[in-house]
Amino acid sequence: MSTGSLLAADLAIAVLATAGWLAGGVASAARRRRLALGLAVLALLGTLARAVTITALARAGWWFAAEKIVVATPLSLVAVAVAGARLLRPPADIRSAAVPLLFAGYAGSGALLVTVLHGYPVSPGVALLAVAGVAAATVVSWRLLGPRPSRAVSRAAVAVAVAALVTGTGLTAAPQASPAGTHDHEYRQAQPVGEPTKRFTLTAGTATVRVSGRDVAAWAFDGQVPGPELTATVGDVLEVTLRNRDIERGVTLHWHGYDVPNDQDGVPDVTQAAVSPGQEFVYRFRADQAGTYWYHTHSVSDVGVRMGLYGVLVVRPAPVTGVDVTVPVHTLAGVPLPVARTEPVEAGVPVRLRLVNTDNTTHRYALAGAPFRVAAIDGSDLRGPTPVAETAVLIPAGGRYDLVFTAPATPVALLVDGRSVWSTGEVSTATGSWPVLDPLSYGTGSPVPWSRFDREFTLVLDRGLDLRGLLPRYAHTVNGAAAPDIPPQVVGLGDIVKFTIVNRSLVVHPWHLHGHHVLVLARDGTPATGSPLWWDSFDVRPGEVWEVAFRADNPGMWANHCHNLPHADAGMMLHLMYR
Ligand SMILES: [Cu+2]
C-alpha cells in the first residue's frame, strides 16, 4: 500500500472510529443498549486498527505520523482504557456508559482536529488545546447526562481543561520569528545583456475568444489564447515589451523554466511591480537555454493563467529539420485546448512534439501509432533516451516533455487524457490501459555531480487552519505555515543546496522553483537511476518524499511554490533568497 493510500485509509478509519464512539454515546444516553454496544465495539476495533496504519506511516517517515503518535495515540489509549472497560462489563443501565463512550469520541475528535486543522509539525500548544477541548466537552456531558461526578473529580477535570487551554493558547500564540520581508527591498537593476536580436511586444487585455464554437470571456495576450508563440535561437537576446491594456489586477511575464536574471523573473512585489493598465514593462534576457518553455502572468496568477494569459517560448539550438510542433494544453472556461488538428507527415520525416501543460493539474499523454523517445523534459535534454511504445507519460502542471519519433507510413496520434489533440491521420487505438513511463529509471544514468551539500531544507506540504490574516482560511501549508509567513530559505552564492519535499496531504502538489533547475536525487528513498533529470516542475504525490538538489548560481529573491496555482494563492508559496 502506498503511503498516500495509507494516509487516506488512516484518516478514514479515524473518522469512522470517532463517529462510532460519539454515536455509541448518544445511543447509550437514549438507552438503545444493543445499538450502543454494537457501535462501541466497531469504534474500538477501528481505534485499535490505527495501531497498524500509524506504525506503517511512521515507518514511511516521521513527517507522516508525528501528530498521530504525539496526540492521537495517547488520547486513543486513554479512550480505549475508559470506554473499553465499560464494554467488557456493560452496566445494567446502559445510560451510565454514555459519558465514557462520548469521552472516547471527544478524544478521537480532538486528535482528528489536530491532524486536519494543524498537521505538521505538531506543537505542544496544539496538543494541549486538544486536551483542553476533550476535558471541557467531557465535563459538560457529565453534568448533562450524569451520574454527576464527585466534586473533586469535577474540579480536577475543569482544572485540566483550563490549564491546558491557557498553556496551549499561550504556546500557539507565541510570536513567531518574522520572516524577512519580501516587499521592503529595491528591485534589482537589470543587467546589461547586449543589443536585442529578437523583439516582441505582448499586449494583455480582456478579450472574447472563440473556442470549439463557443464565445468565452478571456484575458489574452494580443487577443489570442494561448498568446503568440515566441521563438528564438540559442544566443539571441530577447526583448519583450509587455503592455497592459485593461487587466485591472495587473500583469507580469514569468518565463517558466527559463533561468533568467532575477529582475526579469516577473514575480510581482518580489522582482518587479505588477504592470497596471496603461503601463508597460520591458524584459530583456539572453536565450542561453535551448528547449521548450512557456510564459505566463504571475500577477494573481491563479486567475490570470486560467483566464488565458500564457503562451509558449521555444528556443532552438539550430534551424528546424523535420516537423516541430508545440502542443500547449490548457483548460479555458471548461473547454480543453488545443482543439484537435490533423497534419499529414511524410514517412521518414523526424517529428518533435513539444508538450506543455499549462493547467493546474497533471495530464496524461499517449502517442499512438509509433515508438518514440522522450528527448527532453523541462527544456533539458535527456541522456540516452531509448525508444518506448504503447507507454503514456504524465506531465505535471507547468511541466514540458519533448517527444521525438520518425513518422511511419501509417498514421500517428497524440492523445491527452484520451482526447486526440494532434494526428497525422485517422488512428483508433485505446491508450487508457497503457503503463506510465517513470522518468527516474529512463535513459542512461550518470553520477550525481556533488558529494556534499552546503545547505539542506525540508518542506513538508500539508493543509492547516491559518489564523494570521484578516480572515481565517484553510490554507495549503509548508512546514505548518502559509504565505506570507513561511520563512524564506537563505542560501549563499555557490552553495550546493538539497531540498527534501514531503507531501503529507491528500492532493498532488506540482513543485516549481524559479530561477534554477533542480537535479532529482531520489523519490521515496530510492535513488534516480536513469538520465540526470534537471527539472523546474515536478509532481509530489500524496505520501511521496522527493530529494532534489541544485547549485545556487543565480542570485536574487526567487519564488518557490506549488504550481497548482490556487494552492499557491492559498498559502503554498515561499521564497529562496541569497544572503
Ligand atoms: Cu499544491
Side-chain angles (χ1 to χ4, degrees):
M1 200 178 200
S2 73
T3 308
S5 309
L6 268 174
L7 283 167
D10 180 69
L11 184 64
I13 297 171
V15 169
L16 289 174
T18 300
W21 288 126
L22 292 172
V26 172
S28 292
R31 293 206 167 85
R32 301 280 302 274
R33 186 183 178 87
R34 288 185 60 178
L35 181 62
L37 290 175
L39 286 166
V41 167
L42 287 178
L44 180 67
L45 292 176
T47 305
L48 295 175
R50 290 193 72 204
V52 177
T53 50
I54 292 175
T55 305
L57 285 170
R59 288 171 62 100
W62 173 250
W63 314 288
F64 299 116
E67 90 290 0
K68 300 174 183 74
I69 289 173
V70 174
V71 180
T73 302
L75 283 175
S76 297
L77 288 175
V78 177
V80 166
V82 171
R86 288 302 167 122
L87 290 179
L88 282 179
R89 265 170 291 158
D93 179 4
I94 195 66
R95 199 163 193 270
S96 66
V99 174
L101 296 185
L102 287 173
F103 164 75
Y106 301 146
S109 307
L112 263 177
L113 288 176
V114 170
T115 290
V116 173
L117 298 183
H118 183 72
Y120 184 91
V122 64
S123 70
V126 166
L128 285 170
L129 285 179
V131 169
V134 174
T138 307
V139 168
V140 170
S141 304
W142 228 333
R143 300 194 82 92
L144 291 175
L145 295 170
R148 289 277 183 113
S150 72
R151 191 165 280 188
V153 171
S154 185
R155 277 194 185 149
V158 171
V160 167
V162 171
L165 181 67
V166 170
T167 326
T169 308
L171 285 173
T172 47
Q176 305 250 336
S178 149
T182 54
H183 302 258
D184 49 1
H185 67 283
E186 299 268 302
Y187 301 122
R188 279 159 33 89
Q189 291 299 301
Q191 305 286 318
V193 289
E195 274 303 296
T197 54
K198 276 264 186 179
R199 285 192 170 86
F200 302 96
T201 299
L202 295 173
T203 303
T206 55
T208 302
V209 296
R210 199 159 180 82
V211 285
S212 299
R214 256 180 66 193
D215 282 334
V216 171
W219 296 356
F221 289 117
D222 294 3
Q224 63 181 79
V225 177
E229 182 170 324
L230 308 186
T231 59
T233 305
V234 171
D236 273 338
V237 173
L238 268 64
E239 183 184 276
V240 184
T241 302
L242 168 67
R243 298 208 169 104
N244 182 355
R245 199 182 62 226
D246 63 352
I247 303 293
E248 293 296 335
R249 301 178 75 176
V251 183
T252 63
L253 287 177
H254 167 60
W255 309 97
H256 188 114
Y258 225 74
D259 299 335
V260 296
N262 193 235
D263 58 352
Q264 306 298 302
D265 195 45
V267 179
D269 301 328
V270 177
T271 67
Q272 67 170 98
V275 178
S276 300
Q279 294 185 338
E280 67 173 44
F281 189 94
V282 179
Y283 297 87
R284 206 176 282 169
F285 58 91
R286 187 178 289 279
D288 293 322
Q289 300 161 252
T292 310
Y293 304 89
W294 63 298
Y295 62 87
H296 62 81
T297 183
H298 223 288
S299 182
V300 284
S301 58
D302 61 323
V303 181
V305 177
R306 178 165 50 80
M307 293 289 283
L309 288 174
Y310 71 95
V312 175
L313 167 67
V314 175
V315 179
R316 296 190 173 86
V320 176
T321 53
V323 173
D324 189 323
V325 181
T326 58
V327 186
V329 165
H330 193 79
T331 308
L332 185 67
V335 181
L337 296 177
V339 292
R341 84 186 153 104
T342 299
E343 177 179 359
V345 178
E346 261 181 56
V349 172
V351 180
R352 178 178 287 252
L353 298 178
R354 301 174 182 270
L355 315 181
V356 187
N357 182 359
T358 72
D359 270 332
N360 285 315
T361 52
T362 318
H363 284 299
R364 182 180 190 278
Y365 298 70
L367 185 70
F372 65 92
R373 289 178 294 125
V374 180
I377 302 179
D378 285 1
S380 292
D381 286 348
L382 299 194
R383 190 163 177 260
T386 48
V388 288
E390 304 205 339
T391 301
V393 298
L394 295 180
I395 306 188
R400 288 88 58 213
Y401 275 47
D402 286 19
L403 308 188
V404 298
F405 62 95
T406 303
T410 48
V412 172
L414 174 72
L415 295 95
V416 180
D417 304 324
R419 184 180 73 88
S420 178
V421 292
W422 179 89
S423 66
T424 62
E426 187 73 30
V427 176
S428 56
T429 308
T431 60
S433 61
W434 288 4
V436 170
L437 181 82
D438 182 5
L440 271 67
S441 55
Y442 178 71
T444 310
S446 167
V448 174
W450 314 298
S451 55
R452 56 168 189 89
F453 302 101
D454 301 302
R455 259 157 235 287
E456 299 195 23
F457 298 100
T458 299
L459 305 180
V460 180
L461 314 181
D462 202 354
R463 293 210 75 165
L465 192 63
D466 177 21
L467 300 170
R468 299 216 184 101
L470 284 175
L471 291 172
R473 59 174 180 168
Y474 194 38
H476 288 274
T477 58
V478 179
N479 299 337
D485 297 309
I486 307 170
Q489 302 172 310
V490 182
V491 299
L493 187 61
D495 282 352
I496 307 300
V497 184
K498 180 179 166 187
F499 277 77
T500 301
I501 307 190
V502 180
N503 185 353
R504 50 163 276 152
S505 80
L506 299 177
V507 293
V508 178
H509 295 296
W511 205 256
H512 176 53
L513 170 63
H514 288 215
H516 307 74
H517 279 77
V518 299
L519 176 65
V520 177
L521 304 176
R523 180 184 57 209
D524 298 339
T526 306
T529 55
S531 162
L533 299 170
W534 292 93
W535 285 355
D536 53 65
S537 309
F538 55 99
D539 272 345
V540 185
R541 297 182 187 85
E544 284 187 342
V545 179
W546 286 71
E547 291 164 64
V548 302
F550 67 95
R551 177 188 287 279
D553 57 3
N554 197 2
M557 172 84 84
W558 300 98
N560 190 15
H561 66 99
C562 177
H563 216 279
N564 187 329
L565 297 171
H567 293 184
D569 186 55
M572 203 167 257
M573 153 85 79
L574 66 153
H575 294 91
L576 172 81
M577 62 187 280
Y578 284 65
R579 250 183 296 139

